[in-house]
């Protein structure tokens, strides 16, 4: 059975994952209407779906452990961006925020001796390492490319290929 504190904290994480899904959907939609950014758009559409899955996993876990997974209210995320660089900076800072929140949750689970929740959260810990690493790499690439059009063309192509690869791996 979940304690009230853990339940509330997990539901906050539900809201954060849902907000991530919305934020990435907005990035996808923005990229979708820019010329030549189809790869970026597809990347964020899939990213948004993944965040929804992260949210669902949490809701189901809370319910399984005798709590109530709460579907959150959502505000509108940032929907337009001044540049592609801005999109990816936003992506990285969002992922850092999520990692911090997961770390706080892990800490709380240990303090409360809730080892089942602690164990459940390990999946999120690994996931955040991956996502942060990916977001950092993409930011570094964009930094190198600067305003170079052919570089941006390759970036868009590569990010699409990356997505297809990771989908195959499951
Ligand atoms: Fe939910 O993994 Fe990123 O935010």
């Amino acid at each position: 059975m979940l304690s009230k504190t853990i339940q509330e904290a997990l539901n906050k994480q539900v809201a954060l994952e849902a907000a991530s899904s919305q934020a990435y959907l907005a990035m996808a939609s923005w990229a979708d209407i820019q010329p030549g950014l189809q790869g970026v758009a597809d990347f964020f559409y899939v990213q948004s779906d993944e965040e929804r899955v992260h949210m669902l996993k949490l809701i189901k876990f809370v319910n399984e452990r005798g709590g109530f997974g709460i579907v959150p209210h959502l505000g509108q995320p940032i929907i337009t961006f001044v540049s592609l660089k801005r999109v990816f900076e936003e992506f990285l800072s969002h992922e850092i925020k999520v990692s911090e929140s997961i770390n706080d949750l892990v800490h709380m689970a240990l303090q409360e001796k809730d080892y089942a929740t602690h164990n459940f959260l390990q999946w999120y810990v690994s996931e955040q390492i991956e996502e942060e690493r990916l977001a950092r790499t993409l930011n570094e690439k964009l930094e190198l490319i600067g305003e170079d059009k052919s570089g941006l063309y390759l970036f868009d192509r590569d990010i699409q290929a990356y997505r297809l690869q990771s989908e195959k791996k499951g």
Side-chain angles (χ1 to χ4, degrees), residues 32-99:
D32 215 1
I33 59 159
Q34 311 303 313
L37 292 184
Q38 198 53 52
V40 172
D42 290 346
F43 173 84
F44 280 112
Y45 279 128
V46 174
Q47 199 68 30
S48 169
D49 284 347
E50 284 184 0
E51 297 299 346
R52 184 171 187 279
V53 172
H54 300 171
M55 175 195 70
L56 269 182
K57 270 170 103 89
L58 279 154
I59 288 183
K60 288 182 179 173
F61 178 76
V62 171
N63 290 340
E64 236 171 57
R65 305 257 339 270
F68 177 35
I70 295 174
V71 175
H73 239 281
L74 289 176
Q76 188 177 45
I78 301 172
I79 55 165
T80 57
F81 301 86
V82 287
S83 64
L84 187 61
K85 199 162 173 286
R86 205 55 215 109
V87 172
F88 281 89
E89 282 166 2
E90 202 48 56
F91 176 40
L92 176 59
S93 70
H94 199 89
E95 287 303 323
I96 291 173
K97 190 166 134 195
V98 173
S99 299

Side-chain angles (χ1 to χ4, degrees), residues 3-161:
S3 73
K4 198 167 169 281
T5 326
I6 296 275
Q7 185 179 175
E8 270 172 20
L10 288 171
N11 272 323
K12 266 198 194 144
Q13 190 63 33
V14 166
L16 191 52
E17 301 290 345
S20 307
S21 180
Q22 288 282 93
Y24 300 157
L25 183 58
M27 289 174 184
S29 183
W30 177 83
D32 215 1
I33 59 159
Q34 311 303 313
L37 292 184
Q38 198 53 52
V40 172
D42 290 346
F43 173 84
F44 280 112
Y45 279 128
V46 174
Q47 199 68 30
S48 169
D49 284 347
E50 284 184 0
E51 297 299 346
R52 184 171 187 279
V53 172
H54 300 171
M55 175 195 70
L56 269 182
K57 270 170 103 89
L58 279 154
I59 288 183
K60 288 182 179 173
F61 178 76
V62 171
N63 290 340
E64 236 171 57
R65 305 257 339 270
F68 177 35
I70 295 174
V71 175
H73 239 281
L74 289 176
Q76 188 177 45
I78 301 172
I79 55 165
T80 57
F81 301 86
V82 287
S83 64
L84 187 61
K85 199 162 173 286
R86 205 55 215 109
V87 172
F88 281 89
E89 282 166 2
E90 202 48 56
F91 176 40
L92 176 59
S93 70
H94 199 89
E95 287 303 323
I96 291 173
K97 190 166 134 195
V98 173
S99 299
E100 285 169 0
S101 168
I102 293 289
N103 286 345
D104 290 348
L105 265 172
V106 169
H107 182 71
M108 186 185 284
L110 274 184
Q111 270 182 332
E112 295 239 345
K113 298 194 175 139
D114 182 343
Y115 299 115
T117 297
H118 183 266
N119 185 47
F120 167 77
L121 289 171
Q122 296 314 302
W123 183 87
Y124 287 84
V125 172
S126 317
E127 180 69 14
Q128 282 314 118
I129 294 173
E130 275 304 301
E131 303 233 295
E132 256 193 62
R133 187 187 54 85
L134 174 64
R136 269 183 226 286
T137 309
L138 294 172
N139 271 279
E140 283 162 13
K141 284 190 185 198
L142 279 178
E143 192 62 46
L144 281 176
I145 293 167
E147 295 300 310
D148 178 47
K149 289 244 178 349
S150 51
L152 283 173
Y153 170 81
L154 292 174
F155 178 87
D156 189 71
R157 200 193 59 181
D158 286 357
I159 202 171
Q160 199 156 32

